[in-house]
Amino acid sequence: RPPRTLDKSAPPAERLAAVSIDAPDHCPRYVARVVEGVAVGPSPFWLQDRLRSVGLRPINALVDVTNFVMLETGQPLHAFDADKLEGGKIVVRRAREGEKMRALDGKTYDLDTDLLVIADAKKPVAIAGIMGGEETAVSAATKNVLLESAVFNRGLVRYAKNKLKLSSESSYRFERGVSRWSVTA
């Protein structure tokens, strides 16, 4: 099957998931793109091999591509299963007291107002700059994806990483600084 290119005439992400930044001092830039009709399967061997060579575990083609882009450009990306986002929106905001989120590492984290999250209309779906949530993870059943590219305040990412004792390849890069201009839709 020939490779597909991104159809720039596709509906804008806002039609499928409106994005709002309620904490612009902690997230000066957040862009999203929706890709519809994906088929998620294993990555080609060369990509799996490349990820393993730098200590990353291959997951599936979509997630592996986001990790590959991060390794090549230094810009972390995150893919959400768009059909699991409630209310058709993404909100970058401070966590609310008492909120919890089960992250991709399988652990549940207690959140508070000191932390920045990516939320849908009802709940946090990612800890900003660190890790996504299990509820909106890309899987073999995923058909539509919301792809995130953002810049987060590096001090806040470092603070959250230490507070939650949760680090990732993304947090490593965000806490060292990501260029605001590398984030494009």
Side-chain angles (χ1 to χ4, degrees), residues 37-89:
V38 300
V40 180
S43 297
F45 176 77
W46 70 266
L47 180 52
Q48 291 183 34
D49 190 51
R50 168 71 191 224
L51 294 175
R52 283 189 189 102
S53 75
V54 295
L56 294 178
R57 178 179 56 90
I59 297 168
N60 62 50
L62 193 57
V63 172
D64 294 351
V65 165
T66 65
N67 285 326
F68 181 74
V69 168
M70 176 185 63
L71 292 170
E72 291 293 312
T73 67
Q75 174 62 52
L77 302 175
H78 185 72
F80 296 96
D81 185 321
D83 296 327
K84 294 178 182 175
L85 295 170
E86 294 189 52
K89 64 179 0 181

mmCIF file of all heavy atoms in Angstrom, residues 37-89:
data_model
loop_
_atom_site.group_PDB
_atom_site.id
_atom_site.type_symbol
_atom_site.label_atom_id
_atom_site.label_comp_id
_atom_site.label_asym_id
_atom_site.label_seq_id
_atom_site.Cartn_x
_atom_site.Cartn_y
_atom_site.Cartn_z
ATOM 1 N N GLY A 37 -9.627 7.667 10.452
ATOM 2 C CA GLY A 37 -9.541 6.440 9.668
ATOM 3 C C GLY A 37 -8.192 5.744 9.714
ATOM 4 O O GLY A 37 -7.767 5.175 8.710
ATOM 5 N N VAL A 38 -7.538 5.760 10.863
ATOM 6 C CA VAL A 38 -6.239 5.085 10.971
ATOM 7 C C VAL A 38 -6.438 3.598 11.240
ATOM 8 O O VAL A 38 -7.474 3.175 11.745
ATOM 9 C CB VAL A 38 -5.349 5.710 12.078
ATOM 10 C CG1 VAL A 38 -5.082 7.165 11.807
ATOM 11 C CG2 VAL A 38 -5.948 5.506 13.453
ATOM 12 N N ALA A 39 -5.441 2.825 10.888
ATOM 13 C CA ALA A 39 -5.395 1.404 11.231
ATOM 14 C C ALA A 39 -4.104 1.211 12.022
ATOM 15 O O ALA A 39 -3.021 1.427 11.501
ATOM 16 C CB ALA A 39 -5.399 0.546 9.975
ATOM 17 N N VAL A 40 -4.234 0.844 13.276
ATOM 18 C CA VAL A 40 -3.078 0.727 14.161
ATOM 19 C C VAL A 40 -2.604 -0.719 14.189
ATOM 20 O O VAL A 40 -3.377 -1.629 14.456
ATOM 21 C CB VAL A 40 -3.420 1.207 15.589
ATOM 22 C CG1 VAL A 40 -2.214 1.074 16.508
ATOM 23 C CG2 VAL A 40 -3.924 2.646 15.560
ATOM 24 N N GLY A 41 -1.337 -0.890 13.916
ATOM 25 C CA GLY A 41 -0.725 -2.216 13.949
ATOM 26 C C GLY A 41 0.713 -2.083 14.414
ATOM 27 O O GLY A 41 1.135 -1.014 14.858
ATOM 28 N N PRO A 42 1.468 -3.144 14.283
ATOM 29 C CA PRO A 42 2.871 -3.079 14.707
ATOM 30 C C PRO A 42 3.704 -2.209 13.767
ATOM 31 O O PRO A 42 3.382 -2.049 12.589
ATOM 32 C CB PRO A 42 3.336 -4.537 14.669
ATOM 33 C CG PRO A 42 2.360 -5.244 13.806
ATOM 34 C CD PRO A 42 1.074 -4.477 13.837
ATOM 35 N N SER A 43 4.780 -1.662 14.310
ATOM 36 C CA SER A 43 5.724 -0.863 13.514
ATOM 37 C C SER A 43 6.567 -1.765 12.644
ATOM 38 O O SER A 43 6.783 -2.930 12.976
ATOM 39 C CB SER A 43 6.684 -0.105 14.438
ATOM 40 O OG SER A 43 5.976 0.786 15.217
ATOM 41 N N PRO A 44 7.112 -1.216 11.568
ATOM 42 C CA PRO A 44 8.073 -2.001 10.780
ATOM 43 C C PRO A 44 9.305 -2.303 11.636
ATOM 44 O O PRO A 44 9.623 -1.573 12.579
ATOM 45 C CB PRO A 44 8.413 -1.092 9.600
ATOM 46 C CG PRO A 44 7.894 0.256 9.940
ATOM 47 C CD PRO A 44 6.883 0.110 11.029
ATOM 48 N N PHE A 45 9.998 -3.346 11.270
ATOM 49 C CA PHE A 45 11.148 -3.795 12.064
ATOM 50 C C PHE A 45 12.182 -2.694 12.246
ATOM 51 O O PHE A 45 12.731 -2.519 13.330
ATOM 52 C CB PHE A 45 11.800 -5.035 11.422
ATOM 53 C CG PHE A 45 13.040 -5.452 12.156
ATOM 54 C CD1 PHE A 45 12.961 -6.125 13.359
ATOM 55 C CD2 PHE A 45 14.301 -5.131 11.657
ATOM 56 C CE1 PHE A 45 14.099 -6.480 14.061
ATOM 57 C CE2 PHE A 45 15.450 -5.480 12.352
ATOM 58 C CZ PHE A 45 15.354 -6.158 13.551
ATOM 59 N N TRP A 46 12.485 -1.923 11.193
ATOM 60 C CA TRP A 46 13.525 -0.895 11.305
ATOM 61 C C TRP A 46 13.191 0.121 12.391
ATOM 62 O O TRP A 46 14.074 0.583 13.111
ATOM 63 C CB TRP A 46 13.784 -0.187 9.966
ATOM 64 C CG TRP A 46 12.660 0.710 9.523
ATOM 65 C CD1 TRP A 46 11.629 0.392 8.685
ATOM 66 C CD2 TRP A 46 12.446 2.075 9.928
ATOM 67 N NE1 TRP A 46 10.780 1.467 8.536
ATOM 68 C CE2 TRP A 46 11.265 2.524 9.293
ATOM 69 C CE3 TRP A 46 13.129 2.953 10.754
ATOM 70 C CZ2 TRP A 46 10.758 3.805 9.459
ATOM 71 C CZ3 TRP A 46 12.614 4.253 10.925
ATOM 72 C CH2 TRP A 46 11.445 4.653 10.273
ATOM 73 N N LEU A 47 11.887 0.468 12.534
ATOM 74 C CA LEU A 47 11.487 1.433 13.550
ATOM 75 C C LEU A 47 11.563 0.810 14.941
ATOM 76 O O LEU A 47 12.054 1.437 15.887
ATOM 77 C CB LEU A 47 10.075 1.956 13.251
ATOM 78 C CG LEU A 47 9.502 2.987 14.215
ATOM 79 C CD1 LEU A 47 10.465 4.166 14.420
ATOM 80 C CD2 LEU A 47 8.155 3.479 13.712
ATOM 81 N N GLN A 48 11.106 -0.423 15.062
ATOM 82 C CA GLN A 48 11.218 -1.115 16.347
ATOM 83 C C GLN A 48 12.679 -1.219 16.769
ATOM 84 O O GLN A 48 13.030 -0.971 17.932
ATOM 85 C CB GLN A 48 10.612 -2.514 16.253
ATOM 86 C CG GLN A 48 9.111 -2.517 16.096
ATOM 87 C CD GLN A 48 8.545 -3.919 16.070
ATOM 88 O OE1 GLN A 48 9.040 -4.816 16.738
ATOM 89 N NE2 GLN A 48 7.490 -4.113 15.286
ATOM 90 N N ASP A 49 13.529 -1.562 15.822
ATOM 91 C CA ASP A 49 14.953 -1.698 16.096
ATOM 92 C C ASP A 49 15.557 -0.369 16.545
ATOM 93 O O ASP A 49 16.339 -0.310 17.497
ATOM 94 C CB ASP A 49 15.667 -2.237 14.856
ATOM 95 C CG ASP A 49 17.096 -2.629 15.127
ATOM 96 O OD1 ASP A 49 17.339 -3.387 16.091
ATOM 97 O OD2 ASP A 49 17.980 -2.174 14.366
ATOM 98 N N ARG A 50 15.194 0.694 15.860
ATOM 99 C CA ARG A 50 15.703 2.029 16.207
ATOM 100 C C ARG A 50 15.295 2.415 17.625
ATOM 101 O O ARG A 50 16.097 2.925 18.407
ATOM 102 C CB ARG A 50 15.180 3.048 15.189
ATOM 103 C CG ARG A 50 15.364 4.475 15.547
ATOM 104 C CD ARG A 50 16.815 4.900 15.479
ATOM 105 N NE ARG A 50 16.924 6.225 16.085
ATOM 106 C CZ ARG A 50 17.601 7.199 15.593
ATOM 107 N NH1 ARG A 50 18.317 7.040 14.527
ATOM 108 N NH2 ARG A 50 17.613 8.350 16.201
ATOM 109 N N LEU A 51 14.048 2.193 17.986
ATOM 110 C CA LEU A 51 13.571 2.528 19.324
ATOM 111 C C LEU A 51 14.278 1.692 20.388
ATOM 112 O O LEU A 51 14.718 2.223 21.409
ATOM 113 C CB LEU A 51 12.052 2.365 19.414
ATOM 114 C CG LEU A 51 11.236 3.332 18.550
ATOM 115 C CD1 LEU A 51 9.757 2.997 18.634
ATOM 116 C CD2 LEU A 51 11.479 4.778 18.935
ATOM 117 N N ARG A 52 14.394 0.399 20.140
ATOM 118 C CA ARG A 52 15.088 -0.472 21.101
ATOM 119 C C ARG A 52 16.541 -0.046 21.293
ATOM 120 O O ARG A 52 17.078 -0.132 22.396
ATOM 121 C CB ARG A 52 15.035 -1.928 20.648
ATOM 122 C CG ARG A 52 13.707 -2.587 20.884
ATOM 123 C CD ARG A 52 13.771 -4.102 20.607
ATOM 124 N NE ARG A 52 12.454 -4.662 20.639
ATOM 125 C CZ ARG A 52 11.740 -4.982 19.557
ATOM 126 N NH1 ARG A 52 12.248 -4.849 18.346
ATOM 127 N NH2 ARG A 52 10.531 -5.469 19.682
ATOM 128 N N SER A 53 17.173 0.439 20.224
ATOM 129 C CA SER A 53 18.590 0.822 20.302
ATOM 130 C C SER A 53 18.825 2.001 21.239
ATOM 131 O O SER A 53 19.942 2.208 21.706
ATOM 132 C CB SER A 53 19.144 1.134 18.910
ATOM 133 O OG SER A 53 18.681 2.391 18.448
ATOM 134 N N VAL A 54 17.776 2.784 21.520
ATOM 135 C CA VAL A 54 17.917 3.898 22.454
ATOM 136 C C VAL A 54 17.139 3.655 23.744
ATOM 137 O O VAL A 54 16.888 4.584 24.521
ATOM 138 C CB VAL A 54 17.500 5.245 21.812
ATOM 139 C CG1 VAL A 54 18.437 5.613 20.673
ATOM 140 C CG2 VAL A 54 16.061 5.212 21.352
ATOM 141 N N GLY A 55 16.744 2.398 23.968
ATOM 142 C CA GLY A 55 16.113 2.028 25.230
ATOM 143 C C GLY A 55 14.616 2.228 25.314
ATOM 144 O O GLY A 55 14.043 2.164 26.397
ATOM 145 N N LEU A 56 13.948 2.452 24.182
ATOM 146 C CA LEU A 56 12.492 2.595 24.188
ATOM 147 C C LEU A 56 11.834 1.305 23.726
ATOM 148 O O LEU A 56 12.340 0.620 22.844
ATOM 149 C CB LEU A 56 12.056 3.743 23.270
ATOM 150 C CG LEU A 56 12.486 5.141 23.699
ATOM 151 C CD1 LEU A 56 12.025 6.166 22.669
ATOM 152 C CD2 LEU A 56 11.926 5.484 25.063
ATOM 153 N N ARG A 57 10.698 1.013 24.328
ATOM 154 C CA ARG A 57 9.946 -0.193 23.986
ATOM 155 C C ARG A 57 8.936 0.125 22.890
ATOM 156 O O ARG A 57 8.108 1.021 23.040
ATOM 157 C CB ARG A 57 9.221 -0.684 25.243
ATOM 158 C CG ARG A 57 8.343 -1.905 25.055
ATOM 159 C CD ARG A 57 7.692 -2.324 26.369
ATOM 160 N NE ARG A 57 6.928 -1.268 27.004
ATOM 161 C CZ ARG A 57 5.639 -1.032 26.791
ATOM 162 N NH1 ARG A 57 4.959 -1.762 25.934
ATOM 163 N NH2 ARG A 57 5.010 -0.060 27.429
ATOM 164 N N PRO A 58 9.005 -0.599 21.759
ATOM 165 C CA PRO A 58 7.983 -0.395 20.719
ATOM 166 C C PRO A 58 6.597 -0.760 21.258
ATOM 167 O O PRO A 58 6.445 -1.727 22.005
ATOM 168 C CB PRO A 58 8.398 -1.358 19.609
ATOM 169 C CG PRO A 58 9.819 -1.686 19.883
ATOM 170 C CD PRO A 58 9.999 -1.581 21.370
ATOM 171 N N ILE A 59 5.593 0.025 20.861
ATOM 172 C CA ILE A 59 4.225 -0.201 21.341
ATOM 173 C C ILE A 59 3.298 -0.527 20.180
ATOM 174 O O ILE A 59 2.685 -1.579 20.137
ATOM 175 C CB ILE A 59 3.731 1.018 22.139
ATOM 176 C CG1 ILE A 59 4.625 1.178 23.375
ATOM 177 C CG2 ILE A 59 2.267 0.880 22.532
ATOM 178 C CD1 ILE A 59 4.462 2.462 24.119
ATOM 179 N N ASN A 60 3.164 0.395 19.250
ATOM 180 C CA ASN A 60 2.421 0.183 18.008
ATOM 181 C C ASN A 60 2.899 1.255 17.040
ATOM 182 O O ASN A 60 3.602 2.186 17.422
ATOM 183 C CB ASN A 60 0.894 0.191 18.223
ATOM 184 C CG ASN A 60 0.369 1.501 18.757
ATOM 185 O OD1 ASN A 60 0.666 2.572 18.233
ATOM 186 N ND2 ASN A 60 -0.428 1.430 19.817
ATOM 187 N N ALA A 61 2.529 1.124 15.790
ATOM 188 C CA ALA A 61 3.066 2.015 14.755
ATOM 189 C C ALA A 61 2.815 3.486 15.060
ATOM 190 O O ALA A 61 3.705 4.321 14.892
ATOM 191 C CB ALA A 61 2.490 1.639 13.391
ATOM 192 N N LEU A 62 1.640 3.819 15.517
ATOM 193 C CA LEU A 62 1.308 5.222 15.761
ATOM 194 C C LEU A 62 2.118 5.811 16.911
ATOM 195 O O LEU A 62 2.725 6.872 16.790
ATOM 196 C CB LEU A 62 -0.192 5.350 16.037
ATOM 197 C CG LEU A 62 -0.744 6.746 15.995
ATOM 198 C CD1 LEU A 62 -0.477 7.409 14.658
ATOM 199 C CD2 LEU A 62 -2.220 6.714 16.261
ATOM 200 N N VAL A 63 2.155 5.125 18.027
ATOM 201 C CA VAL A 63 2.916 5.599 19.180
ATOM 202 C C VAL A 63 4.413 5.604 18.858
ATOM 203 O O VAL A 63 5.135 6.541 19.212
ATOM 204 C CB VAL A 63 2.614 4.737 20.422
ATOM 205 C CG1 VAL A 63 3.540 5.103 21.582
ATOM 206 C CG2 VAL A 63 1.152 4.897 20.832
ATOM 207 N N ASP A 64 4.859 4.582 18.154
ATOM 208 C CA ASP A 64 6.282 4.507 17.809
ATOM 209 C C ASP A 64 6.700 5.668 16.908
ATOM 210 O O ASP A 64 7.802 6.204 17.048
ATOM 211 C CB ASP A 64 6.602 3.173 17.137
ATOM 212 C CG ASP A 64 6.437 1.990 18.088
ATOM 213 O OD1 ASP A 64 6.250 2.212 19.304
ATOM 214 O OD2 ASP A 64 6.474 0.844 17.599
ATOM 215 N N VAL A 65 5.831 6.080 16.001
ATOM 216 C CA VAL A 65 6.163 7.221 15.137
ATOM 217 C C VAL A 65 6.288 8.493 15.971
ATOM 218 O O VAL A 65 7.198 9.299 15.741
ATOM 219 C CB VAL A 65 5.120 7.387 14.008
ATOM 220 C CG1 VAL A 65 5.227 8.746 13.351
ATOM 221 C CG2 VAL A 65 5.302 6.292 12.973
ATOM 222 N N THR A 66 5.416 8.694 16.958
ATOM 223 C CA THR A 66 5.542 9.892 17.795
ATOM 224 C C THR A 66 6.868 9.872 18.549
ATOM 225 O O THR A 66 7.519 10.912 18.692
ATOM 226 C CB THR A 66 4.367 10.059 18.785
ATOM 227 O OG1 THR A 66 4.364 8.994 19.727
ATOM 228 C CG2 THR A 66 3.033 10.146 18.057
ATOM 229 N N ASN A 67 7.280 8.704 19.016
ATOM 230 C CA ASN A 67 8.575 8.600 19.707
ATOM 231 C C ASN A 67 9.736 8.827 18.748
ATOM 232 O O ASN A 67 10.730 9.475 19.100
ATOM 233 C CB ASN A 67 8.703 7.255 20.420
ATOM 234 C CG ASN A 67 7.877 7.207 21.687
ATOM 235 O OD1 ASN A 67 7.723 8.211 22.370
ATOM 236 N ND2 ASN A 67 7.338 6.046 21.984
ATOM 237 N N PHE A 68 9.626 8.326 17.537
ATOM 238 C CA PHE A 68 10.676 8.527 16.539
ATOM 239 C C PHE A 68 10.827 10.017 16.213
ATOM 240 O O PHE A 68 11.942 10.539 16.156
ATOM 241 C CB PHE A 68 10.345 7.720 15.272
ATOM 242 C CG PHE A 68 11.386 7.840 14.198
ATOM 243 C CD1 PHE A 68 12.604 7.192 14.310
ATOM 244 C CD2 PHE A 68 11.140 8.594 13.069
ATOM 245 C CE1 PHE A 68 13.569 7.302 13.315
ATOM 246 C CE2 PHE A 68 12.096 8.717 12.067
ATOM 247 C CZ PHE A 68 13.318 8.064 12.194
ATOM 248 N N VAL A 69 9.713 10.709 16.030
ATOM 249 C CA VAL A 69 9.759 12.145 15.756
ATOM 250 C C VAL A 69 10.429 12.874 16.922
ATOM 251 O O VAL A 69 11.262 13.757 16.722
ATOM 252 C CB VAL A 69 8.348 12.710 15.476
ATOM 253 C CG1 VAL A 69 8.345 14.235 15.477
ATOM 254 C CG2 VAL A 69 7.819 12.171 14.157
ATOM 255 N N MET A 70 10.088 12.488 18.144
ATOM 256 C CA MET A 70 10.706 13.114 19.313
ATOM 257 C C MET A 70 12.220 12.903 19.309
ATOM 258 O O MET A 70 12.991 13.830 19.570
ATOM 259 C CB MET A 70 10.114 12.545 20.605
ATOM 260 C CG MET A 70 10.770 13.088 21.863
ATOM 261 S SD MET A 70 10.155 12.304 23.358
ATOM 262 C CE MET A 70 10.674 10.609 23.097
ATOM 263 N N LEU A 71 12.659 11.692 18.975
ATOM 264 C CA LEU A 71 14.091 11.411 18.953
ATOM 265 C C LEU A 71 14.802 12.196 17.860
ATOM 266 O O LEU A 71 15.927 12.654 18.039
ATOM 267 C CB LEU A 71 14.328 9.914 18.750
ATOM 268 C CG LEU A 71 13.911 9.014 19.904
ATOM 269 C CD1 LEU A 71 13.974 7.561 19.483
ATOM 270 C CD2 LEU A 71 14.751 9.275 21.140
ATOM 271 N N GLU A 72 14.149 12.361 16.727
ATOM 272 C CA GLU A 72 14.765 13.057 15.599
ATOM 273 C C GLU A 72 14.749 14.578 15.739
ATOM 274 O O GLU A 72 15.667 15.244 15.288
ATOM 275 C CB GLU A 72 14.063 12.665 14.291
ATOM 276 C CG GLU A 72 14.314 11.225 13.878
ATOM 277 C CD GLU A 72 15.763 10.966 13.503
ATOM 278 O OE1 GLU A 72 16.326 11.744 12.723
ATOM 279 O OE2 GLU A 72 16.334 9.974 14.009
ATOM 280 N N THR A 73 13.689 15.126 16.350
ATOM 281 C CA THR A 73 13.536 16.582 16.386
ATOM 282 C C THR A 73 13.678 17.187 17.783
ATOM 283 O O THR A 73 13.838 18.402 17.902
ATOM 284 C CB THR A 73 12.150 16.996 15.848
ATOM 285 O OG1 THR A 73 11.141 16.529 16.759
ATOM 286 C CG2 THR A 73 11.911 16.467 14.450
ATOM 287 N N GLY A 74 13.545 16.360 18.812
ATOM 288 C CA GLY A 74 13.557 16.868 20.180
ATOM 289 C C GLY A 74 12.198 17.336 20.647
ATOM 290 O O GLY A 74 12.024 17.742 21.795
ATOM 291 N N GLN A 75 11.189 17.291 19.768
ATOM 292 C CA GLN A 75 9.838 17.750 20.105
ATOM 293 C C GLN A 75 8.956 16.567 20.481
ATOM 294 O O GLN A 75 8.603 15.755 19.629
ATOM 295 C CB GLN A 75 9.197 18.485 18.930
ATOM 296 C CG GLN A 75 7.739 18.857 19.148
ATOM 297 C CD GLN A 75 7.530 19.812 20.302
ATOM 298 O OE1 GLN A 75 8.158 20.852 20.375
ATOM 299 N NE2 GLN A 75 6.646 19.459 21.215
ATOM 300 N N PRO A 76 8.584 16.441 21.759
ATOM 301 C CA PRO A 76 7.654 15.370 22.136
ATOM 302 C C PRO A 76 6.285 15.579 21.488
ATOM 303 O O PRO A 76 5.831 16.711 21.313
ATOM 304 C CB PRO A 76 7.554 15.506 23.658
ATOM 305 C CG PRO A 76 8.797 16.231 24.057
ATOM 306 C CD PRO A 76 9.073 17.177 22.921
ATOM 307 N N LEU A 77 5.662 14.486 21.125
ATOM 308 C CA LEU A 77 4.298 14.468 20.605
ATOM 309 C C LEU A 77 3.498 13.491 21.452
ATOM 310 O O LEU A 77 4.068 12.600 22.077
ATOM 311 C CB LEU A 77 4.263 13.985 19.149
ATOM 312 C CG LEU A 77 5.081 14.759 18.127
ATOM 313 C CD1 LEU A 77 5.026 14.049 16.774
ATOM 314 C CD2 LEU A 77 4.577 16.182 17.995
ATOM 315 N N HIS A 78 2.194 13.626 21.439
ATOM 316 C CA HIS A 78 1.359 12.630 22.112
ATOM 317 C C HIS A 78 0.135 12.366 21.248
ATOM 318 O O HIS A 78 -0.466 13.295 20.706
ATOM 319 C CB HIS A 78 0.923 13.096 23.500
ATOM 320 C CG HIS A 78 0.177 12.039 24.243
ATOM 321 N ND1 HIS A 78 0.794 10.922 24.760
ATOM 322 C CD2 HIS A 78 -1.140 11.894 24.505
ATOM 323 C CE1 HIS A 78 -0.108 10.150 25.329
ATOM 324 N NE2 HIS A 78 -1.299 10.714 25.181
ATOM 325 N N ALA A 79 -0.230 11.107 21.134
ATOM 326 C CA ALA A 79 -1.409 10.707 20.369
ATOM 327 C C ALA A 79 -2.489 10.219 21.328
ATOM 328 O O ALA A 79 -2.232 9.362 22.180
ATOM 329 C CB ALA A 79 -1.046 9.599 19.380
ATOM 330 N N PHE A 80 -3.682 10.788 21.187
ATOM 331 C CA PHE A 80 -4.852 10.365 21.954
ATOM 332 C C PHE A 80 -5.800 9.630 21.028
ATOM 333 O O PHE A 80 -5.933 10.000 19.858
ATOM 334 C CB PHE A 80 -5.624 11.579 22.497
ATOM 335 C CG PHE A 80 -4.877 12.430 23.477
ATOM 336 C CD1 PHE A 80 -4.212 13.567 23.047
ATOM 337 C CD2 PHE A 80 -4.871 12.125 24.827
ATOM 338 C CE1 PHE A 80 -3.541 14.389 23.942
ATOM 339 C CE2 PHE A 80 -4.208 12.935 25.731
ATOM 340 C CZ PHE A 80 -3.534 14.062 25.289
ATOM 341 N N ASP A 81 -6.510 8.630 21.537
ATOM 342 C CA ASP A 81 -7.619 8.037 20.800
ATOM 343 C C ASP A 81 -8.735 9.078 20.838
ATOM 344 O O ASP A 81 -9.347 9.308 21.889
ATOM 345 C CB ASP A 81 -8.059 6.725 21.450
ATOM 346 C CG ASP A 81 -9.136 6.014 20.658
ATOM 347 O OD1 ASP A 81 -10.038 6.690 20.108
ATOM 348 O OD2 ASP A 81 -9.092 4.772 20.593
ATOM 349 N N ALA A 82 -8.975 9.747 19.729
ATOM 350 C CA ALA A 82 -9.927 10.867 19.686
ATOM 351 C C ALA A 82 -11.343 10.452 20.070
ATOM 352 O O ALA A 82 -12.088 11.254 20.637
ATOM 353 C CB ALA A 82 -9.921 11.504 18.298
ATOM 354 N N ASP A 83 -11.703 9.216 19.802
ATOM 355 C CA ASP A 83 -13.063 8.762 20.112
ATOM 356 C C ASP A 83 -13.277 8.568 21.615
ATOM 357 O O ASP A 83 -14.412 8.429 22.065
ATOM 358 C CB ASP A 83 -13.371 7.471 19.359
ATOM 359 C CG ASP A 83 -13.374 7.685 17.854
ATOM 360 O OD1 ASP A 83 -13.762 8.786 17.406
ATOM 361 O OD2 ASP A 83 -12.963 6.767 17.128
ATOM 362 N N LYS A 84 -12.196 8.565 22.387
ATOM 363 C CA LYS A 84 -12.302 8.403 23.845
ATOM 364 C C LYS A 84 -12.242 9.739 24.582
ATOM 365 O O LYS A 84 -12.339 9.767 25.801
ATOM 366 C CB LYS A 84 -11.195 7.475 24.344
ATOM 367 C CG LYS A 84 -11.343 6.050 23.824
ATOM 368 C CD LYS A 84 -10.201 5.189 24.303
ATOM 369 C CE LYS A 84 -10.299 3.767 23.748
ATOM 370 N NZ LYS A 84 -9.120 2.972 24.136
ATOM 371 N N LEU A 85 -12.085 10.828 23.837
ATOM 372 C CA LEU A 85 -12.097 12.156 24.449
ATOM 373 C C LEU A 85 -13.544 12.602 24.599
ATOM 374 O O LEU A 85 -14.286 12.649 23.622
ATOM 375 C CB LEU A 85 -11.323 13.153 23.589
ATOM 376 C CG LEU A 85 -9.825 12.890 23.459
ATOM 377 C CD1 LEU A 85 -9.216 13.789 22.390
ATOM 378 C CD2 LEU A 85 -9.128 13.079 24.795
ATOM 379 N N GLU A 86 -13.948 12.926 25.809
ATOM 380 C CA GLU A 86 -15.342 13.297 26.062
ATOM 381 C C GLU A 86 -15.600 14.778 25.797
ATOM 382 O O GLU A 86 -14.762 15.617 26.078
ATOM 383 C CB GLU A 86 -15.711 12.963 27.507
ATOM 384 C CG GLU A 86 -15.695 11.465 27.768
ATOM 385 C CD GLU A 86 -16.272 11.123 29.123
ATOM 386 O OE1 GLU A 86 -17.401 11.570 29.414
ATOM 387 O OE2 GLU A 86 -15.593 10.405 29.868
ATOM 388 N N GLY A 87 -16.748 15.063 25.234
ATOM 389 C CA GLY A 87 -17.191 16.441 25.072
ATOM 390 C C GLY A 87 -16.574 17.199 23.920
ATOM 391 O O GLY A 87 -16.783 18.404 23.796
ATOM 392 N N GLY A 88 -15.796 16.524 23.084
ATOM 393 C CA GLY A 88 -15.240 17.183 21.913
ATOM 394 C C GLY A 88 -14.334 18.360 22.217
ATOM 395 O O GLY A 88 -14.330 19.346 21.487
ATOM 396 N N LYS A 89 -13.574 18.261 23.316
ATOM 397 C CA LYS A 89 -12.676 19.367 23.624
ATOM 398 C C LYS A 89 -11.429 18.893 24.347
ATOM 399 O O LYS A 89 -11.414 17.846 24.973
ATOM 400 C CB LYS A 89 -13.379 20.443 24.441
ATOM 401 C CG LYS A 89 -13.813 19.974 25.792
ATOM 402 C CD LYS A 89 -14.519 20.969 26.726
ATOM 403 C CE LYS A 89 -14.752 22.334 26.296
ATOM 404 N NZ LYS A 89 -15.419 23.169 27.304
#
